[in-house]
Amino acid sequence: MYRLMKRSICALPALLAALPALATDCAPDSACPGSLLEEVVVTGRRAPQIVMDSSASISVITETQLARSTASGLADVMRDVPGVQVTDAGQPGLKRIRIRGEESRRTAILIDGQEITDHWEVGTPLSLHPSMVERIEVMRGSGSVLYGPRALSGVVNFITRKGGNKPLQLELSSGFDSATGGEEWFGSAFGNLDGLEYRVAGSNSDHGKRDTPQGKIPDTAFDNQSLYAWVGHDFGAHRLELGYDNYESATEVFVADNVKTAFPLIDFAVDVPRRDREKLALFYEWSDVAPFLPSIKANIHQQRNDRKFDTFSSTLLPGPKPLLSDRDIFSDADLEVRDGVLQADWIPWSGHYLVSGIQYTDEYVNQERRVESFVNGIPMAPENIHDEASIETVALFAQDDWQIGEHTTLDAGARQYHVEGALEQSSRPGLQVDSRHDSELIASLGITHAISEDVVLRASAAQGYVYPSLLQFAIGAYAGSRYVNPNPELEPETSDSIESWVRLRLDGWILDAGLFYTESSNYIDHVFCTPGDGCLSSRDKIYVNVGESTAEGLEFYTTRETGTWRPYLSLTWMNRSNRYENFVTDDSGTPSLSGTLGLLHERRISDRVDGWIDFALRGESDSRREEPSSTGTPTIEKDDSWITLNLSGGASFGRERRVSLVVELENLGDETYSTSAENLYAPGRSIAARLNLALE
């Protein structure tokens, strides 16, 4: 397959050069016939609804867009969505996303509407191979009413690929990336056997050190493997689906030199040899139960996350005779999650569509830590620490869409939380077995008004809620050689946001643009311990509610959806202010401007060949991050502005287009840059390609 791919890549420039001369009309699988605003989505209200009618800020990445990407991870696929930033925390194989400048742990990540739960500090990694995904729905703004306590800044819902329309269908793909020397493969068998739909798929990725204009970055190799299986069947008005997926990954972690040697460290290293997720899910739906009850749905899933996280530090302890202290910490944690949602969709009165439900979630972590210490090379007695902690959440939710006029819809929602968290066992000195409770009622309100079929205005207000994680209130974490103590007195993080929006279609163009404003409170961060905190060491830290923020911005997307030349623009303007007790700054590390300007050209070259080419400029303005420090002098980090030129193209071959090739040329100017949310330099000038074969 690699030989065929290389030959195809060599032929691609000539093929694309011939596009204007040989063109006839849009390719049949392109976006020309329809509108992105007519996409049916489920994330905005937990029920089918077209984007045009949604009161939520929703972007859709379609199956065609996914098929035209060579990205090795799902985060990179979402770089062009307004308001979305990709973040890596120095872990290239475990990228995450931020929405509207919020930390990744404040975004709910879903697979088929079920959340990937994660309690670690830097947020939920996107542990799903892109080839497993049919569509991505990105909802910006609080989704806490319908999706729970991690949806403060938004929701990302990955809709996986399901069955086919023939007894047996096969799909194979293989790809490579010159920036990492990476190789990938994917295979899937799927179909429909007398009404029994099924799919089985597997993938493997192996990437080396990242190549940048400054050379190869050490500690940036990663690999992952995944397995996916799904079956579904209709029994009259009843539908039953069963899904299983397993994702195993390992990644090296880059640590900058200034962090490795920050006093009193003289060396520091991190490794993540295991970051695995296994999930078993069951879905049930009973449709057309009664005229006033369109559907009853239930879904339950059990998920297990295995995380191995190792740190290695060397510290020079000052004194008359300085001592060299080496400390190696090996953490192995299992997070088990059981989650179930029972939902009923109602039409209680004419003009109303009411979604209601109850959700139960049980999250339990079992963690083993081993601390090995050496002083001037002499081994000390090792520490073996065992922790067990849990969070149990019961929530009732409801949202009513009320057609209050021919052109106006009002939606109102609420969610009542009852949360119980507990440290059940710990062998670490200073931690006490304890439990805590919290109840919270949050609400949302939105209005949508259609001026015409092609112009819709909307406005909304919503509250967000994030309960402290198991690390923050129960078991703590290590940051370098320091231990960050948990704090059972932490308050949940909350937010209040408002938005106003316009969506329109005009002469083949679509436009989706809006303004937002958010106030967030009770941010949780770690600070150095004080004598009153009861920490075991003065060098340790503790989690506390330290601050609040305000964010305001504009998100804008427009594209032409007809014709063979289709320009598009994705733009985000944002200003974010942070307050840490008496310290206030407008330098939050968020660029004021970021976006993508592109031009897509699609052509049917012949009866056997369709082709496309996409030119894109991506960039963001410069940014500064200013934060308080223990010395009293704020720390300042700067990121320069950047812009890159990128080119991608592809073609599909054969009467039924069963062979396709995608090629992406990234950073053609070989710019040295890193985005404001990523620690690593971006790849330099590079090429990535993928070859797909469909067999029936």
Side-chain angles (χ1 to χ4, degrees), residues 40 53 245 263 309 383 386 462 475 506 584 596 618 653:
V40 176
D53 293 340
D245 71 272
F263 180 82
F309 188 83
E383 293 181 78
H386 175 75
I475 63 177
L506 180 65
V584 181
T596 302
R618 296 186 179 93
F653 307 90

Side-chain angles (χ1 to χ4, degrees), residues 651-663:
S652 54
F653 307 90
R655 290 194 178 277
E656 298 183 13
R657 309 305 192 264
R658 293 183 179 177
V659 179
S660 64
L661 173 69
V662 179
V663 178

Side-chain angles (χ1 to χ4, degrees), residues 495-692:
S495 71
D496 297 285
S497 60
I498 57 174
E499 301 182 17
S500 61
W501 215 259
V502 60
R503 294 188 176 115
L504 64 85
R505 292 170 294 203
L506 180 65
D507 295 331
W509 287 82
I510 66 167
L511 182 145
D512 197 15
L515 298 167
F516 68 87
Y517 176 81
T518 302
E519 293 183 352
S520 301
S521 302
N522 290 330
Y523 276 148
I524 298 172
D525 202 350
H526 43 75
V527 300
F528 284 97
C529 294
T530 65
D533 293 323
C535 301
L536 294 180
S537 169
S538 60
R539 294 186 61 252
D540 285 351
K541 292 187 172 184
I542 187 170
Y543 287 108
V544 295
N545 294 105
V546 298
E548 57 191 34
S549 75
T550 59
E552 56 190 356
L554 164 70
E555 295 167 348
F556 179 91
Y557 181 80
T558 186
T559 185
R560 184 168 182 83
E561 291 200 310
T562 59
T564 58
W565 292 94
R566 303 216 294 274
Y568 59 91
L569 173 64
S570 171
L571 183 67
T572 303
W573 171 83
M574 184 160 49
N575 179 63
R576 189 177 183 87
S577 299
N578 291 338
R579 179 188 297 273
Y580 305 87
E581 296 180 342
N582 297 322
F583 180 81
V584 181
T585 179
D586 288 332
D587 294 326
S588 63
T590 302
S592 57
L593 284 175
S594 60
T596 302
L597 174 64
L599 180 63
L600 173 65
H601 183 48
E602 291 184 309
R603 294 286 183 173
R604 170 166 290 171
I605 299 170
S606 70
D607 289 341
R608 292 180 176 272
V609 182
D610 293 331
W612 60 275
I613 190 167
D614 189 352
F615 302 87
L617 292 172
R618 296 186 179 93
E620 62 183 25
S621 61
D622 61 349
S623 60
R624 284 166 43 105
R625 180 185 299 275
E626 188 177 23
E627 294 180 329
S629 71
S630 59
T631 64
T633 301
T635 61
I636 298 176
E637 297 179 3
K638 298 180 181 180
D639 285 294
D640 295 331
S641 61
W642 58 271
I643 188 168
T644 62
L645 173 62
N646 310 275
L647 173 65
S648 60
S652 54
F653 307 90
R655 290 194 178 277
E656 298 183 13
R657 309 305 192 264
R658 293 183 179 177
V659 179
S660 64
L661 173 69
V662 179
V663 178
E664 291 193 67
L665 305 175
E666 297 289 329
N667 193 5
L668 291 174
D670 208 28
E671 294 288 328
T672 298
Y673 75 99
S674 62
T675 72
S676 59
E678 293 179 276
N679 295 356
L680 301 173
Y681 279 130
R685 186 185 298 114
S686 59
I687 180 171
R690 189 176 73 236
L691 180 66
N692 299 285

Side-chain angles (χ1 to χ4, degrees), residues 207-221:
H207 293 260
K209 297 177 182 178
R210 179 181 295 184
D211 194 11
T212 76
Q214 301 298 312
K216 290 186 180 293
I217 305 178
D219 301 321
T220 53

Side-chain angles (χ1 to χ4, degrees), residues 34 46 74 128 138 154 190 243 253 300 307 388 473 502 524 559 567 579 690:
R46 281 188 174 268
L74 286 166
L128 190 67
V138 183
F190 58 101
V253 182
I300 58 176
R307 175 183 182 265
E388 295 181 31
F473 82 84
V502 60
I524 298 172
T559 185
R579 179 188 297 273
R690 189 176 73 236

